[in-house]
């Protein structure tokens, strides 16, 4: 009796203990979480490669008098041709800007040949590397430079583009969080068909996101981890997407155990024992894959790795501790009106996944071959992906800075309109200037600021920005100028592409190896993990192929973000393996219970198919939220991952992995013990009659 009373007290105390711990954790994390937005930086150096020339230029500019230079272009344009009054107004406004702000040099007007446009390059060291001061400078110049009666005035250039991009990133936090939470809430209501149950995982996910923000700020302060608008936004999506996936699996198994076990506490313990290893392995693959991004040379990718991993691990911690505690405290009534009764049996009906499993079980090789051909055909669409995304094509809506650059492209088709910045040792500045002017493709070059060790030289190419001709000029300058660094907006875009090309062959094998090790440890097999990895790689290729058929033909995107291939690979491999883990882990449970391989695969699909489909829909929907953002990079990343998750959920896991498992039989568990046939037992022998002596 005393032992039973002790056990009962423990059942009541443990959930309250976890709830109290989480209240304390949130109280401690609160002051740090609120500071994450202040730590967010969307400067150029936060996205550039760590070892690139353009990054060195940006760092040296910080050391020059006035700090980093803000480069702008004032564009005055009239379709029918500029009038003398237009030219006078432009000169007057530029003079007013020069009096109001600290400029590196007096702006020099560059008229277009057709007489429709005036270009004034403006360079200011007033903001330094302070983003708020840079934004204030750009806004003030835009207020001063205004046109009337058909004269348009736009402010472009790298500084204005950065300001417009920064405003977009600053506006992401609230809308992204609210939209993601709203999408998850709607899907949970549809999945659970309960007016109360959906609130529990959604609340827990929100708490996990708050904790992740606090931990992310701690990483920034303690280890200098960069926090950008992109990385913090992806962290929030991972918390809600991955966290809700884990909640769906736990709640489904808990509901199953409540029908077998009377007390909610004991049912939850059994549920966590059953699905806990799969949830741990699932989060482990995502975190391990993201941590591999630390090997990237690109600052934005390297910063996204730890922040994304923090989001997943905080979601895991909350879903394995706080969610079970709340569910146990609320009891069975939280499932109302579909309350699982003790000893009850769920309604047996032929589900979609039973039918899909039956077709895969009857003709596994046919299904497998057909799916492989389909994925391969879709992957061919990747050949249609547009080239590298230009800086001015990064917005889904056209801000003033992009309008200015478009006007310049039309008015100066064969003339550079964006300065290339060269940082050269001060004692060799004159020789470097002469070499620069003699370089093929250079239109003009002028000395700028000089510090103790470095001199800044502004170069204008003859070719248009980010064209093949300008790229050749940048490469020629880097080859000819020993000891100098070549940077600027166009050089930065070139370095982004080159660095992603170098990072990909390093990070891809790391991700595959890390995920493979976790799968081998969980499934005690080599074949099953390799099967899952091959499946997610095929999904990644097919997703990029679909993107190639959509981005330019349907959405009108002029380019593809250079980091799209690598980031989408990391996310799709790490997240896609999740559903394979849910399926294969249940298949292994059924096999250990004595089921034959084919029957184990079909039972696993029937029991986990609904959960996997629900989880896939939630995760795809959370990443699809990015497609509503005003930056092309985020739209492209969200689209590819959302499409990949849906392919993985409804084609690869349900059909291809199941059919492959049925076709391979016990070989899928090689070289583990399940790969060997169960020992045959002969028929039971009748006992020989025994002679009994009569008394």
């Amino acid at each position: 009796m005393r032992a039973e009373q002790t056990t009962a007290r423990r059942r009541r105390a443990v959930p309250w203990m976890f709830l109290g711990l989480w209240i304390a954790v949130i109280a401690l994390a609160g002051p740090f979480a609120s500071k994450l937005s202040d730590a967010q930086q969307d400067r150029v150096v936060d996205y550039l490669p760590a070892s690139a020339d353009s990054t060195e230029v940006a760092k040296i500019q910080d050391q020059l008098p006035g700090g980093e230079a803000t480069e702008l272009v004032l564009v005055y344009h009239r379709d029918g041709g500029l009038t003398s009054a237009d030219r006078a107004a432009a000169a007057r406004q530029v003079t007013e800007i020069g009096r109001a702000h600290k400029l590196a040099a007096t702006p020099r007007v560059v008229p277009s040949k057709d007489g429709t446009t005036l270009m004034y390059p403006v360079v200011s060291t007033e903001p330094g590397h302070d983003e708020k001061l840079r934004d204030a400078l750009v806004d003030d110049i835009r207020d001063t430079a205004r046109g009337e009666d058909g004269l348009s005035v736009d402010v472009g250039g790298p500084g204005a583009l950065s300001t417009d991009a920064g405003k977009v990133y600053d506006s992401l936090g609230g809308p992204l969080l609210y939209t993601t939470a709203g999408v998850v809430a709607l899907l949970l209501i549809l999945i659970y068909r309960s007016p109360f149950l959906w609130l529990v995982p959604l609340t827990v996910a929100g708490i996990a996101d708050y904790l992740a923000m606090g931990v992310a700020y701690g990483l920034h302060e303690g280890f200098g981890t960069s926090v950008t608008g992109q990385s913090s936004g992806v962290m929030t999506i991972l918390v809600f997407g991955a966290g809700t996936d884990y909640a769906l699996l736990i709640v489904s198994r808990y509901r199953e155990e409540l029908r077998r076990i009377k007390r909610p506490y004991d049912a939850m313990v059994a549920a966590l024992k059953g699905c806990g290893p799969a949830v741990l392995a699932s989060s482990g693959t995502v975190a391990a894959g993201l941590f591999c991004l630390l090997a990237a040379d690109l600052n934005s990718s390297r910063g996204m790795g730890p922040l994304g991993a923090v989001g997943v691990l905080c979601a895991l911690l909350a879903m394995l501790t706080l969610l079970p505690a709340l569910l146990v405290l609320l009891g069975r009534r939280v499932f109302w009106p579909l309350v699982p009764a003790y000893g009850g049996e769920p309604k047996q009906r032929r589900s979609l996944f039973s039918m899909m499993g039956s077709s895969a079980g009857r003709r596994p090789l046919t299904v497998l071959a057909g799916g492989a051909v389909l994925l391969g055909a879709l992957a061919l669409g990747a050949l249609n992906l547009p080239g590298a995304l230009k800086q001015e094509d990064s917005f889904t809506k056209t801000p003033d800075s992009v309008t200015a650059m478009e006007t310049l492209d039309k008015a100066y088709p064969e003339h550079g309109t964006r300065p290339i910045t060269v940082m050269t040792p001060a004692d060799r500045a004159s020789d470097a200037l002469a070499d620069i002017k003699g370089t093929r493709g250079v239109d003009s070059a002028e000395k700028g600021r000089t510090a103790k060790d470095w001199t800044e030289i502004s170069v204008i190419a003859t070719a248009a920005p980010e064209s093949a001709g300008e790229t050749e000029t940048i490469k020629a300058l880097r080859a000819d100028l020993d000891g100098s660094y070549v940077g600027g907006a166009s050089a930065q875009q070139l370095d982004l592409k080159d660095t992603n090309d170098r990072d990909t062959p390093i990070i891809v094998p790391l991700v595959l190896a890390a995920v493979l090790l976790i799968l081998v440890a969980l499934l005690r097999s080599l074949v099953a993990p390799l099967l899952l990895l091959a499946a997610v790689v095929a999904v990644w290729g097919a997703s990029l192929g679909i993107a190639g058929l959509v981005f330019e033909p349907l959405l009108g995107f002029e380019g593809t973000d250079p980091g799209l291939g690598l980031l989408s690979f990391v996310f799709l491999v790490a997240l896609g393996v999740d559903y394979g883990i849910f399926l294969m882990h249940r298949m292994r449970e059924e096999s250990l219970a004595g089921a034959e391989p084919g029957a184990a695969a079909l039972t696993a699909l029937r029991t986990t198919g609904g959960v996997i489909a629900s989880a896939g829909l939630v995760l795809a929907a959370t990443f699809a939220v990015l497609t509503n953002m005003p930056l092309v990079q985020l739209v492209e990343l969200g689209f590819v991952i959302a499409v990949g998750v849906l392919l993985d959920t409804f084609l690869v896991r349900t059909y291809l992995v199941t059919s492959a498992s049925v076709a391979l039989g016990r070989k899928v568990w090689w070289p583990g013990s399940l790969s060997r046939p169960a020992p045959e037992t002969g028929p039971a022998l009748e006992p020989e009659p025994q002679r009994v002596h009569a008394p």
Side-chain angles (χ1 to χ4, degrees):
M1 179 67 70
R2 184 174 298 175
E4 292 180 1
Q5 292 175 346
T6 302
T7 302
R9 284 196 298 270
R10 185 186 64 189
R11 293 193 188 102
R12 292 192 297 269
V14 170
W16 287 109
M17 179 187 71
F18 278 116
L19 187 59
L21 284 174
W22 270 98
I23 293 174
V25 166
I26 294 303
L28 291 173
F32 302 103
S34 61
K35 296 180 180 179
L36 184 63
S37 58
D38 297 331
Q40 179 177 316
Q41 296 285 339
D42 289 297
R43 299 175 304 161
V44 171
V45 293
D46 296 311
Y47 289 88
L48 286 177
S51 62
D53 263 28
S54 55
T55 310
E56 292 299 323
V57 168
K59 290 178 180 178
I60 295 171
Q61 282 181 324
D62 284 344
Q63 304 168 12
L64 293 175
E68 181 180 347
T70 298
E71 298 173 344
L72 305 172
V73 180
L74 274 64
V75 182
Y76 292 82
H77 176 79
R78 185 184 290 273
D79 287 336
L82 295 166
T83 65
S84 57
D86 294 337
R87 294 185 175 87
R92 184 175 62 254
Q93 291 177 0
V94 171
T95 301
E96 184 179 347
I97 291 169
R99 285 197 300 262
H101 299 284
K102 181 181 178 182
L103 304 183
T106 302
R108 178 176 58 89
V109 63
V110 182
S112 64
K113 292 181 180 180
D114 60 6
T116 62
T117 309
L118 295 178
M119 174 177 65
Y120 282 90
V122 175
V123 180
S124 174
T125 58
E126 184 177 294
H129 58 269
D130 190 310
E131 290 184 46
K132 293 181 179 178
L133 292 179
R134 180 202 64 198
D135 297 344
L137 170 69
V138 173
D139 291 340
D140 188 68
I141 290 178
R142 282 174 171 167
D143 290 338
T144 304
R146 292 184 176 274
E148 296 178 355
D149 301 328
L151 175 67
S152 67
V153 185
D154 296 298
V155 180
L161 286 167
S162 297
T163 292
D164 291 338
K167 289 179 179 179
V168 170
Y169 278 120
D170 290 341
S171 67
L172 291 183
L176 184 63
L177 175 61
Y178 304 143
T179 307
T180 303
V183 168
V184 171
L186 177 62
L187 289 174
L188 288 177
I189 292 172
L190 295 175
I191 291 168
Y192 287 139
R193 290 172 292 169
S194 168
F196 308 113
L197 181 58
W198 65 274
L199 281 169
V200 182
L202 186 64
T203 301
V204 173
I207 292 172
D209 184 50
Y210 198 65
L211 175 62
M213 292 168 63
V215 176
Y217 180 78
L219 288 177
H220 172 74
E221 291 296 305
F223 301 96
T225 303
S226 64
V227 179
T228 64
Q230 186 184 48
S231 61
S232 60
V234 169
M235 181 183 74
T236 293
I237 283 179
L238 282 173
V239 170
F240 279 90
T244 306
D245 280 4
Y246 305 150
L248 287 169
L249 189 64
I250 292 170
V251 171
S252 175
R253 192 62 177 261
Y254 176 53
R255 187 199 296 265
E256 191 178 320
E257 298 296 340
L258 282 173
R259 295 190 177 97
R260 300 191 308 105
I261 301 173
K262 185 175 183 180
R263 295 184 178 87
Y265 176 89
D266 297 332
M268 180 57 73
V269 171
L272 291 178
K273 286 182 179 178
C275 67
V279 173
L280 285 171
S282 171
S283 61
T285 57
V286 180
L290 290 170
F291 273 127
C292 290
L293 286 174
L294 287 171
D297 188 37
L298 199 64
N299 286 334
S300 56
S301 297
R302 193 168 62 249
M304 187 182 292
L307 259 64
V310 162
V312 170
L313 294 177
C314 287
L316 171 72
L317 183 63
M319 295 304 168
L320 285 182
T321 56
L322 181 58
L323 176 68
L326 291 175
L327 289 175
V328 169
L329 290 174
L330 292 171
R332 295 175 185 268
R333 58 185 176 273
V334 75
F335 290 94
W336 187 87
L338 304 175
V339 179
Y342 171 59
E345 290 290 335
K347 292 182 180 179
Q348 298 295 330
R349 53 188 178 187
R350 188 169 175 79
S351 67
L352 171 66
F353 298 99
S354 297
M355 292 185 286
M356 295 172 77
S358 298
S359 61
R362 287 193 300 270
R363 293 178 294 274
L365 293 178
T366 303
V367 171
L368 188 60
V373 170
L374 175 61
L375 291 176
L378 289 175
L380 293 176
L383 300 174
N384 195 47
L385 283 170
L389 186 69
K390 295 183 179 180
Q391 195 175 20
E392 58 263 31
D393 296 329
S394 299
F395 302 90
T396 57
K397 298 178 181 178
T398 307
D400 287 349
S401 57
V402 173
T403 302
M405 305 310 290
E406 290 175 348
T407 302
L408 291 176
D409 288 343
K410 294 176 182 177
Y412 303 85
E414 301 298 331
H415 190 283
T417 56
R418 183 184 295 173
I420 301 168
T421 303
V422 177
M423 286 295 177
T424 191
D427 57 352
R428 294 189 305 208
S430 298
D431 294 338
L433 183 60
D435 291 340
I436 291 171
K437 289 182 176 180
T439 302
R440 184 179 179 182
V442 171
D443 180 67
S444 63
E446 295 179 356
K447 281 187 182 180
R449 295 171 296 168
T450 299
K452 181 180 179 181
D453 300 318
W454 296 95
T455 293
E456 182 182 62
I457 300 175
S458 182
V459 181
I460 298 295
T462 56
E466 297 187 50
S467 63
E470 190 196 44
T471 298
E472 291 302 316
T473 301
I474 293 172
K475 292 181 178 179
L477 289 172
R478 287 177 170 173
D480 295 342
L481 300 175
D482 293 333
S484 299
Y485 298 106
V486 180
S490 297
Q492 291 163 6
Q493 295 299 105
L494 177 62
D495 289 338
L496 286 173
K497 182 181 182 303
D498 291 344
T499 303
N500 273 293
D501 292 341
R502 290 196 303 269
D503 283 346
T504 299
I506 296 173
I507 293 175
V508 165
L510 286 177
V511 172
L512 292 176
V515 172
L516 180 64
L517 289 175
I518 294 174
L519 291 177
V520 169
L522 175 72
L523 301 177
R524 305 292 195 275
S525 165
L526 282 178
V527 175
L530 290 173
L531 172 64
L532 294 181
L533 282 182
V536 292
V537 171
V539 165
W540 171 69
S543 303
L544 286 180
I546 294 175
L549 301 176
V550 171
F551 282 174
E552 190 172 16
L554 297 182
L555 301 181
F557 293 161
E558 298 293 332
T560 305
D561 179 40
L564 176 65
L566 178 59
L567 290 180
S568 61
F569 177 85
V570 172
F571 282 111
L572 282 178
V573 169
L575 294 170
V577 167
D578 278 11
Y579 307 126
I581 288 174
F582 297 162
L583 181 68
M584 283 288 190
H585 185 261
R586 188 59 181 259
M587 193 186 306
R588 180 177 170 80
E589 280 189 65
E590 298 295 330
S591 298
L592 288 172
E596 288 298 315
L602 299 181
T603 301
L605 177 61
R606 186 176 65 251
T607 54
T608 65
V611 179
I612 291 176
S614 302
L617 284 173
V618 169
L619 190 62
T622 54
F623 273 97
V625 170
L626 289 177
T627 62
N628 196 39
M629 297 296 109
L631 285 175
V632 171
Q633 297 95 318
L634 296 180
V635 174
E636 291 179 343
L637 182 64
F639 179 87
V640 172
I641 295 177
V643 168
V645 169
L646 292 176
L647 277 176
D648 192 79
T649 302
F650 294 101
L651 174 63
V652 174
R653 298 298 151 218
T654 49
Y655 267 125
L656 303 190
V657 171
T658 301
S659 59
S661 300
V662 172
L664 289 170
R666 294 187 180 276
K667 294 177 183 177
V668 77
W669 303 114
W670 185 88
S673 58
L674 289 176
S675 64
R676 295 183 287 274
E680 295 184 2
T681 56
L685 298 177
E686 292 291 333
E688 293 184 4
Q690 300 291 322
R691 179 176 295 177
V692 180
H693 295 281

